[in-house]
Amino acid sequence: MNGSIVISCGGTGGHISPGVALAEILVEKQKDIGLSGVYIHSLNRNKDNPDLQTPPCEVLWHHIPQLGGFKTLIYPFLFILPLIKTSLHFRKRNVQYVIGMGGYSSLPAILYAILFRKKLFLCEQNCVPGKITRIFSRFAEKIALSFPLCDGYSIDGKVIGNPIRRKVVPNQLNIRQNENLHEGRKNTINVLVLGGSQGARQLNQMILGAMENEDVSSKFKFRLLTGTSLYDETKKKSKGNAEIISYANDMKPNYEWANLVVARSGAGVIAECLVFGLPMVLIPYPYAADNHQKENAIYIEQMGAAKIIHSTSDDPSALVKFLLGWKEDANSLKEMGHSSLALSNVNAAFQTVVYFFATKD
């Protein structure tokens, strides 16, 4: 046996979901690869994350303080103990490989690999590489990219696609939910609105405002996943026939229901929409690190699979304009769906594992 492997899933769902997808493949293929064990390394505060409540392998929990604020100057001292604990846990389990999924919380695992000369692989989800990827790329054996990097960044990696969890993978790869939209104007267009696990008040308010337009409400049916903290507020303000849901553990039925998705432009949501061949209206979160959501959205729009609304307000006018255009020409949604599906890679998790462990590319 060649020892075990750790997937270091960062602090957010955007790092955790693709890390879990890789763990699923590694557990299945560990004998073929020659691994003695597969582990996920994640923060204690992620214990409530749905993907980590029923993980495909053992999770090694850890805690490191967040960067920023008054802790910045003393951070190296606060970091030493978690690094020592991580190293002891990894040595006990004979960890020979580390996959870093990004985020500051992957630092202990990455430094373990560097200090003890273990093989380090990195996964970058966004068009703008994160600081962890930029800093430690020179130490990595290989780097897997979800999307092409935007101008100004040059990292030696391979564009494969964002790994998708098996529970989200569609049963059939097609755009059947959009095939009939061009056949007549009587068909209702289903719009799925995703604000993320914490919700997005801007998106919720924008949709409620759009529903007040009679032409929009007559053609489009909305399903809002509001986030648990914003559910009551959104439900109270809703005056139309929108379906209001706080959170969904199983996203597959929602994607299968949808003809169109309105969402932020995190890499995970985009990748899941792509494998379902869904056209998107993307509203980038303007305060994301390095404005990476904006660059993700621009790439998807340039490839013909999305329209972007660059706004920090909940003014629905831009969204209404898009919707009314699709009311008159629903066939364009079908064309966007084709572009979306063409960008997808449902086998990204498997191909990433093969790429990391192949002796030759």
Side-chain angles (χ1 to χ4, degrees), residues 10 26 32 62 67 70 89 100 198 231 286 298 302 315 337 344 346:
L26 286 165
D32 298 330
H62 72 104
L67 284 166
F70 72 94
H89 285 307
Q198 300 302 313
Y231 173 79
I298 288 173
Q302 289 175 340
D315 179 3
S344 69
V346 72

Side-chain angles (χ1 to χ4, degrees), residues 14 30 36 123-124 140 269 282 327 338 342 345 350 354:
Q30 71 177 80
S36 58
C123 289
E124 177 54 56
V269 169
L282 297 174
K327 179 184 178 183
H338 280 292
N345 184 1
F350 175 77
V354 170

Side-chain angles (χ1 to χ4, degrees), residues 258-279:
N259 303 116
L260 170 69
V261 170
V262 178
R264 294 299 194 194
S265 46
V269 169
I270 289 176
E272 292 176 0
C273 289
L274 294 180
V275 298
F276 283 88
L278 286 167

Side-chain angles (χ1 to χ4, degrees), residues 16-180:
I16 295 170
S17 294
V20 169
L22 291 180
E24 291 173 340
I25 299 297
L26 286 165
V27 167
E28 181 182 278
K29 302 295 183 181
Q30 71 177 80
K31 290 184 178 179
D32 298 330
I33 298 171
L35 297 172
S36 58
V38 179
Y39 303 95
I40 289 172
H41 194 235
S42 193
L43 289 169
N44 288 328
R45 64 181 173 84
N46 291 329
K47 288 184 177 181
D48 291 332
N49 183 283
D51 288 329
L52 296 179
Q53 289 182 338
T54 55
C57 61
E58 182 182 352
V59 180
L60 306 177
W61 302 104
H62 72 104
H63 171 74
I64 60 172
Q66 287 184 288
L67 284 166
F70 72 94
K71 294 180 179 179
T72 302
L73 294 177
I74 62 172
Y75 190 83
F77 302 99
L78 299 175
F79 183 77
I80 290 175
L81 182 58
L83 176 61
I84 293 173
K85 288 183 177 180
T86 292
S87 300
L88 292 174
H89 285 307
F90 285 9
R91 289 177 68 86
K92 179 180 178 181
R93 292 165 176 81
N94 191 25
V95 172
Q96 298 296 319
Y97 307 92
V98 171
I99 300 177
M101 303 303 298
Y104 79 96
S105 64
S106 63
L107 268 175
I110 289 174
L111 290 177
Y112 168 85
I114 295 171
L115 292 172
F116 294 98
R117 299 184 179 182
K118 310 303 180 183
K119 286 196 174 182
L120 173 65
F121 306 114
L122 296 178
C123 289
E124 177 54 56
Q125 290 84 43
N126 298 296
C127 292
V128 177
K131 290 181 180 178
I132 292 296
T133 302
R134 300 199 300 265
I135 293 171
F136 295 103
S137 59
R138 64 192 181 96
F139 297 101
E141 294 276 330
K142 296 180 181 179
I143 303 172
L145 307 174
S146 293
F147 303 119
L149 300 182
C150 62
D151 292 342
Y153 295 96
S154 178
I155 289 177
D156 186 16
K158 182 177 182 180
V159 179
I160 298 174
N162 206 24
I164 304 292
R165 298 160 295 167
R166 282 179 174 160
K167 69 179 184 180
V168 183
V169 172
N171 296 325
Q172 294 179 314
L173 295 181
N174 57 36
I175 56 170
R176 65 191 183 284
Q177 61 263 53
N178 285 347
E179 287 295 325
N180 65 343

Side-chain angles (χ1 to χ4, degrees), residues 263-297:
R264 294 299 194 194
S265 46
V269 169
I270 289 176
E272 292 176 0
C273 289
L274 294 180
V275 298
F276 283 88
L278 286 167
M280 291 163 265
V281 175
L282 297 174
I283 307 171
Y285 180 60
Y287 309 110
D290 300 312
N291 214 4
H292 69 264
Q293 287 206 7
K294 175 184 175 182
E295 296 299 333
N296 290 349

Side-chain angles (χ1 to χ4, degrees), residues 217-276:
S217 61
S218 67
K219 179 67 175 180
F220 296 88
K221 182 176 180 180
F222 297 90
R223 179 180 293 179
L224 282 75
L225 273 66
T226 64
T228 53
S229 63
L230 298 177
Y231 173 79
D232 291 335
E233 171 188 311
T234 309
K235 186 73 173 178
K236 186 181 297 184
K237 292 181 178 179
S238 176
K239 298 178 181 179
N241 61 350
E243 189 177 353
I244 311 294
I245 301 172
S246 63
Y247 184 78
N249 282 326
D250 186 3
M251 282 301 300
K252 187 187 292 189
N254 293 296
Y255 288 130
E256 291 175 339
W257 171 86
N259 303 116
L260 170 69
V261 170
V262 178
R264 294 299 194 194
S265 46
V269 169
I270 289 176
E272 292 176 0
C273 289
L274 294 180
V275 298
F276 283 88

